[in-house]
Amino acid sequence: MSTATGKSDGIWETIKTVFWALVIAGLFRTLFFQPFWIPSGSMKETLLIGDFLFVNKMAYGYSRYSCPFAICPISGRIFASEPERGDIVVFRHPVAGTDYIKRLIGLPGDRVQMREGVLYINDTAVPRVASGEFIEEYAPQGGAGQRPRCENGPVGSGGDCIKSRAIETLPNGVSYPVLNIEDNGFADNTPVFTVPEGHFFFIGDNRDNSVDSRFGQNAGGVGFVPFENLIGRADRVMFSSAGRSMLAFWTWRSDRFFHPLGE
């Protein structure tokens, strides 16, 4: 065999290897787990800016949004499993087309309302118990360099940014921390939302710093989210970095590596 032929065969083998690697990676991402970086503080303290996780796409079955760019030729949802109240879910925004991550609060038929910062489901207050404070540095966070909002603001750069913390427990027993920044915002006092059939209602754990179902789509919010738009469930943080780049190893949060959610 000539040297030229050998090089051609080597190049062809490399091309085939790369092709099949991309196919396998695409199938893995579509069918099993999708990587997701946390870009905002709407789910603090459960999820922090810079957390990296894999979303379990098998949890609720598959829809066209299971594929990148929503190209899956699926009508409705196949192999569907109903989500549970309290799940942390990645979903496709019904209008904007971007991916959001929030906590599922309302199921089809539920009546959801906030009154003076307290969550009500079907006209019953969801129990919450004060649980100290959530304290973080008032400094730029993540790739976008966002600074956190503080209940004790204004805060100088490098100071302690404090939020009141409480543990909320849903009717099915799921408990999680929620944070408070202000007491009289729109998000603390809302109308009653009745969740339509085939839709779900989502709220962020950082209650005064989350654009979610409490805000209608016409107001730039999320509104009710169709079942079809659910992409998967977040179960565990795999990696976390407080800096602007994952390469800045001195900003890694090793205590959050493989950190389970909901425990």
Side-chain angles (χ1 to χ4, degrees):
M1 180 177 65
S2 68
T3 302
T5 302
K7 287 183 178 180
S8 297
D9 289 344
I11 293 172
W12 178 239
E13 288 301 319
T14 299
I15 292 173
K16 287 196 296 183
T17 299
V18 171
F19 171 77
W20 286 113
L22 292 174
V23 169
I24 292 170
L27 287 173
F28 182 86
R29 184 185 186 280
T30 298
L31 297 177
F32 302 111
F33 297 97
Q34 176 177 323
F36 192 86
W37 283 99
I38 302 302
S40 75
S42 68
M43 282 293 293
K44 289 178 181 177
E45 68 182 67
T46 305
L47 293 170
L48 304 180
I49 295 175
D51 281 351
F52 174 80
L53 47 84
F54 285 103
V55 179
N56 181 356
K57 303 183 81 168
M58 299 174 286
Y60 310 129
Y62 303 95
S63 72
R64 64 191 181 102
Y65 296 108
S66 299
C67 289
F69 311 110
I71 61 173
C72 281
I74 299 173
S75 177
R77 199 165 199 98
I78 61 174
F79 308 119
S81 295
E82 292 289 330
E84 297 183 7
R85 199 192 309 274
D87 284 356
I88 300 172
V89 181
V90 171
F91 58 88
R92 186 65 49 86
H93 190 287
V95 176
T98 51
D99 291 344
Y100 277 49
I101 185 165
K102 307 288 180 185
R103 191 177 297 276
L104 195 159
I105 297 296
L107 302 173
D110 280 345
R111 291 163 50 86
V112 182
Q113 186 182 23
M114 297 292 297
R115 302 183 201 166
E116 298 181 350
V118 176
L119 173 64
Y120 284 74
I121 299 177
N122 297 323
D123 305 310
T124 300
V126 173
R128 57 190 301 173
V129 178
S131 182
E133 297 173 329
F134 175 76
I135 303 175
E136 58 186 333
E137 181 183 0
Y138 185 70
Q141 299 179 349
Q146 302 175 24
R147 290 181 180 267
R149 293 181 60 203
C150 315
E151 188 177 16
N152 62 323
V155 176
S157 183
D160 285 345
C161 178
I162 301 174
K163 301 175 183 64
S164 298
R165 182 180 187 270
I167 301 298
E168 194 169 79
T169 303
L170 294 172
N172 61 347
V174 175
S175 296
Y176 48 88
V178 294
L179 305 181
N180 182 70
I181 300 171
E182 57 182 343
D183 294 322
N184 297 307
F186 170 81
D188 291 318
N189 294 279
T190 72
V192 176
F193 300 98
T194 301
V195 185
E197 187 66 30
H199 291 70
F200 299 93
F201 192 94
F202 291 90
I203 301 181
D205 292 350
N206 193 359
R207 288 291 161 82
D208 296 313
N209 194 40
S210 175
V211 177
D212 47 44
S213 293
R214 294 171 294 175
F215 302 86
Q217 295 166 10
N218 292 334
V222 172
F224 302 119
V225 179
F227 190 17
E228 180 185 35
N229 289 54
L230 273 56
I231 294 173
R233 185 182 65 222
D235 296 320
R236 185 180 297 269
V237 174
M238 303 302 294
F239 173 83
S240 184
S241 174
R244 293 195 173 212
S245 169
M246 64 178 294
L247 300 178
F249 62 88
W250 57 91
T251 67
W252 292 357
R253 305 182 185 107
S254 58
D255 60 319
R256 295 186 65 79
F257 291 6
F258 308 108
H259 173 68
L261 301 175
E263 295 184 11

